[in-house]
């Protein structure tokens, strides 16, 4: 397939690019700079340099593809505006064509839930409350649309867990927990989540929401202990976590979530990488 990919130099997108190329697809990565273009070319993709929020430019490139995967995410808080522009381009270029469009969400949209499924109610924290409107626009359009919902992604030394546990030590060297650490996180290795995107775009079906998670749902305390190297953990109050991490981010990390991700497995996808606890212990 000729696949257009956004976010090809990002955490998930760079791994996905490698897997798409390895699977024999011709990938064009939409990037913002010549430096990023050099990176994706080195990984085996074509590069197109421009502004994804230029709907006409993005739509023209989307229209030339057999399928589109959108993983790009700005880090400056402009996610809603950015995603709405990309979705507008997808609607313009792909409506009625039968070509797959794969969008990216995040597990936090489901809020506190001990048994998250794709049909669970949306109870997002403030940090990701904007996603619902954008995603509804995707589902309401005449698109062969799928929305991949990654859990908390880790692997290759990156992702939220590396940031949360990496340098968060108290005066005694213990790993600071987010809250008391009793909340569960749904987790997924970046290589496994990329493999699910490949599965979804290759199927070319309107799948709606697909949760990308390993089915392993450790508590934050378990993760902190694994990361501590035997130094132990230091629980803290919700207020202390909100002050340390910022209220919006802390509130998302305090969500208690578990899932089996059964729908993804029904597509023939199976996660194979080490668990987050194993990875933290190894580092």
């Amino acid at each position: 397939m000729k696949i257009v990919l956004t976010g090809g130099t990002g955490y998930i997108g760079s791994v996905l690019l490698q897997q798409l190329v390895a699977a024999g697809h011709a990938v064009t990565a939409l990037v913002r700079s010549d430096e990023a273009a050099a990176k994706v070319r080195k990984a085996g993709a074509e590069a197109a340099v421009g502004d994804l929020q230029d709907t006409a430019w993005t739509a023209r490139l989307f229209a030339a593809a057999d399928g589109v995967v959108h993983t790009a995410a700005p880090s400056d808080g402009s996610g809603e505006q950015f995603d709405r522009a990309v979705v507008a381009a997808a609607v313009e270029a792909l409506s009625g064509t039968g070509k797959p469009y794969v969008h990216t969400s995040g597990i936090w949209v489901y809020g506190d839930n001990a048994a998250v499924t794709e049909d669970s109610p949306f109870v997002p924290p403030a940090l990701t409350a904007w996603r619902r409107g954008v995603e509804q626009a995707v589902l309401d359009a005449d698109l062969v649309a799928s929305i991949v919902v990654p859990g908390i992604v880790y692997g290759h030394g990156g992702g939220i867990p590396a940031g949360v546990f990496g340098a968060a030590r108290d005066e005694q060297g213990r790993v600071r927990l987010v809250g008391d650490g009793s909340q569960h996180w749904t987790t997924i290795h970046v290589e496994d989540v990329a493999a699910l995107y490949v599965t979804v775009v290759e199927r070319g079906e309107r799948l709606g929401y697909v949760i990308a998670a390993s089915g392993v749902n450790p508590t934050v305390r378990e993760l902190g202990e694994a990361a501590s190297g035997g130094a132990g953990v230091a629980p803290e109050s919700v207020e202390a976590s909100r002050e340390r991490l910022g209220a919006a981010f802390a509130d998302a990390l305090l969500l208690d979530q578990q899932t089996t991700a059964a729908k993804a497995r029904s597509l023939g996808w199976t996660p194979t990488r080490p668990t987050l606890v194993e990875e933290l212990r190894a580092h």
Side-chain angles (χ1 to χ4, degrees):
M1 295 173 68
K2 292 187 293 183
I3 296 174
V4 166
L5 172 66
T6 76
T9 60
Y11 182 46
I12 293 174
S14 60
V15 177
L16 174 56
L17 189 158
Q18 293 171 354
Q19 291 193 16
L20 287 168
V21 169
H25 300 292
V27 181
T28 298
L30 309 192
V31 296
R32 291 177 291 180
S33 68
D34 291 336
E35 180 184 6
K39 289 181 181 178
V40 298
R41 290 190 184 108
K42 186 176 181 180
E46 296 293 322
V49 180
D51 180 3
L52 278 167
Q53 295 188 77
D54 179 345
T55 299
W57 177 80
T58 305
R60 185 169 66 252
L61 288 156
F62 282 3
D66 298 321
V68 173
V69 183
H70 172 43
T71 69
S75 57
D76 60 1
S78 64
E80 180 174 7
Q81 175 187 346
F82 183 83
D83 267 15
R84 286 194 180 279
V86 173
V87 170
V91 171
E92 179 180 327
L94 304 176
S95 288
T97 65
K99 297 176 179 179
Y101 170 69
V102 185
H103 192 79
T104 299
S105 182
I107 198 69
W108 290 336
V109 297
Y110 293 110
D112 280 312
N113 192 326
V116 178
T117 73
E118 287 77 6
D119 297 323
S120 293
F122 294 90
V123 194
L127 189 66
T128 60
W130 61 269
R131 286 193 182 278
R132 182 59 177 148
V134 174
E135 291 160 13
Q136 194 59 52
V138 171
L139 298 175
D140 287 345
D142 185 15
L143 294 171
V144 178
S146 301
I147 301 176
V148 174
V149 188
I152 291 181
V153 184
Y154 65 93
H156 302 319
I160 284 171
V164 170
F165 298 117
R169 303 272 178 157
D170 70 1
E171 303 78 21
Q172 297 167 256
R174 299 176 300 177
V175 170
R176 294 185 190 274
L177 301 181
V178 184
D180 66 9
S182 62
Q183 73 273 33
H184 296 80
W185 284 359
T186 67
T187 58
I188 183 71
H189 195 286
V190 66
E191 293 283 351
D192 287 327
V193 74
L196 181 58
Y197 278 96
V198 175
T199 296
V200 168
V201 74
E202 287 180 345
R203 288 181 74 98
E205 302 170 15
R206 185 183 174 93
L207 297 171
Y209 284 95
V210 182
I211 293 171
S214 65
V216 179
N217 307 284
T219 66
V220 168
R221 175 178 284 274
E222 289 170 334
L223 296 173
E225 288 171 346
S228 75
V233 297
E236 61 186 9
S237 68
V238 167
E239 293 74 19
S241 289
R242 295 180 96 226
E243 182 176 347
R244 177 167 66 89
L245 298 166
F249 187 41
D251 287 349
L253 296 174
L254 286 160
L255 292 174
D256 188 9
Q257 298 184 307
Q258 299 187 63
T259 184
T260 63
K263 181 175 179 178
R265 284 170 174 75
S266 76
L267 304 176
W269 167 85
T270 303
T272 61
R273 272 62 176 195
T275 68
L276 178 51
V277 166
E278 290 168 342
E279 179 130 328
L280 290 171
R281 282 178 181 154
H283 292 87

